[in-house]
Amino acid sequence: MPTDPSAPPGDRALFPPFDGPGGFDRIRADLGAFLPAIRAVCERHGLTTSGLSAFERGTNVVVSNDAGQIIKLFPPFLRHQFEAERLALARFHGKVPVATPEILREAELDGWPYLVLSRLPGRTLEEVWPALSGAERVEALARIGEIMRAAHALPTGGLESIDLGWDAFVERQIAGCEGRHRRMGLPEHLVSQIPAYLASARPLLPTSVVPVLLTGEYTPENLLVTPTGGAWRLTGMIDFADACLGPPEVDLLGPCLFLAAGSADLLRAFLGACGYRITDLSPALGRKLMALALLHRYSNLRYQLRIEGWESQVSSLSELEQRIWPFSAR
């Protein structure tokens, strides 16, 4: 999506030209490309430009400075993510048992909405997970469950603009599910089973739900940990651009796929902290969660499922379901 050629030269120079979302993604982490815009935001709000550094990962342009501030620029075609993030952050901040960024400024520059946020201390759980002990992993999953349970109890009034519209959403996802997973590289023998598998799971899917606030981001890249008492403790949560309203089960997927990854002990710690009883850990729950994992709007099991070699270990979606959620074994 090129910049507007009719814009005044000064404004036109603030943002680099790019062709569509793919072109934007290729330059998103290039600090030099967005430096004029970042400097304009800093000048507007009296922020320091010392120590500017762009984050490599993510969907939007995210830059930090030496004053502990984050500047997050959203391209016009991702304005919906700006709306989701600002609404979710305002609802979460100070209301859940974990630190979340504070919105310091929100405005727009040449058609690009942006947020200035406080930067949270810590390292990502992704970075430290391989070195965590078994006990630390159990504690981390239990803590995520506690945070999630508090988040799902938050009021949702005023957040209607980010409601998924669950029943219609499910129909669209079912219609496009086989094609999506073929594009994402899921093994063909599993892709071909998707229609029958979803048909078997259809009666288990949530319907006419009373929605809760979902972050979509209980993943190790967006959870921050700090050393406390000789161990790593989960202390922060970032990136709410994918926040939406929907059924609570959707938020279970990130921790189950990225972190528990087929461990019965980690699943019990996590789901127990979410409020599930041992008797709830049933084949029906495993089938429901597997179906929701297939239908998720960003589903990409080859990236999200952290079970080494799983693609060569299963011959069916039912086997994959039981591998991820071992309590679903029949």
Side-chain angles (χ1 to χ4, degrees):
M1 184 175 63
T3 53
D4 181 3
S6 66
D11 287 345
R12 191 164 62 241
L14 288 177
F15 293 98
F18 57 88
D19 293 319
F24 171 72
D25 192 55
R26 285 189 289 273
I27 63 172
R28 172 190 50 74
D30 182 353
L31 178 59
F34 291 95
L35 200 53
I38 295 296
R39 284 176 171 161
V41 170
C42 290
E43 182 177 355
R44 175 183 285 181
H45 300 294
L47 310 177
T48 182
T49 57
S50 174
L52 292 177
S53 177
F55 286 73
E56 291 290 331
R57 304 185 75 106
T59 305
N60 297 283
V61 179
V62 184
V63 174
S64 63
N65 64 16
D66 278 348
Q69 295 151 343
I70 297 288
I71 300 156
K72 190 165 186 176
L73 297 168
F74 299 78
F77 69 88
L78 291 179
R79 180 177 291 273
H80 63 284
Q81 291 200 349
F82 164 77
E83 294 294 337
E85 181 131 26
R86 72 179 190 86
L87 289 171
L89 277 175
R91 191 59 52 95
F92 271 91
H93 191 66
K95 301 294 195 305
V96 290
V98 70
T100 57
E102 179 183 2
I103 299 176
L104 304 176
R105 298 284 190 278
E106 58 178 272
E108 188 170 304
L109 181 68
D110 198 17
W112 288 55
Y114 66 85
L115 296 169
V116 179
L117 308 170
S118 61
R119 183 170 186 174
L120 301 182
R123 297 172 62 184
T124 68
L125 185 57
E126 178 87 347
E127 292 177 83
V128 306
W129 184 257
L132 295 188
S133 67
E136 286 176 311
R137 292 184 176 193
V138 167
E139 197 278 336
L141 265 296
R143 178 118 169 92
I144 294 169
E146 293 167 3
I147 295 164
M148 189 179 295
R149 195 171 185 178
H152 290 172
L154 292 172
T156 58
L159 303 178
E160 292 79 10
S161 64
I162 60 172
D163 195 326
L164 278 178
W166 180 252
D167 291 346
F169 171 82
V170 166
E171 296 303 322
R172 292 194 301 272
Q173 294 304 103
I174 289 175
C177 190
E178 191 174 356
R180 175 179 179 82
H181 286 283
R182 185 168 284 114
R183 292 192 302 274
M184 293 295 104
L186 190 69
E188 184 59 33
H189 70 281
L190 297 180
V191 172
S192 65
Q193 296 173 29
I194 286 176
Y197 185 88
L198 291 179
S200 74
R202 187 67 180 268
L204 302 172
L205 294 178
T207 57
S208 303
V209 301
V210 177
V212 301
L213 178 54
L214 309 172
T215 74
E217 298 297 350
Y218 293 97
T219 59
E221 292 177 0
N222 296 313
L223 296 168
L224 300 180
V225 294
T226 54
T228 305
W232 292 99
R233 180 167 173 78
L234 201 159
T235 54
M237 185 163 62
I238 58 173
D239 195 351
F240 295 82
D242 292 324
C244 58
L245 299 187
E249 295 95 330
V250 173
D251 264 349
L252 301 178
L253 300 176
C256 286
L257 297 175
F258 283 91
L259 297 171
S263 164
D265 288 342
L266 295 181
L267 284 169
R268 281 193 294 268
F270 169 57
L271 294 171
C274 288
Y276 286 81
R277 300 164 299 181
I278 291 295
T279 53
D280 296 325
L281 308 186
S282 65
L285 179 60
R287 174 76 33 129
K288 179 198 294 187
L289 293 177
M290 186 69 223
L292 290 174
L294 291 169
L295 294 172
H296 195 282
R297 54 182 171 167
Y298 302 125
S299 183
N300 182 357
L301 293 176
R302 293 184 65 202
Y303 169 70
Q304 294 156 346
L305 180 53
R306 303 292 176 86
I307 298 176
E308 186 70 29
W310 65 267
E311 291 162 284
S312 63
Q313 297 170 9
V314 298
S315 60
S316 69
L317 288 172
S318 291
E319 286 183 18
L320 182 58
E321 164 203 321
Q322 293 162 26
R323 184 75 176 83
I324 302 170
W325 291 281
F327 52 77
S328 71
R330 288 160 175 79

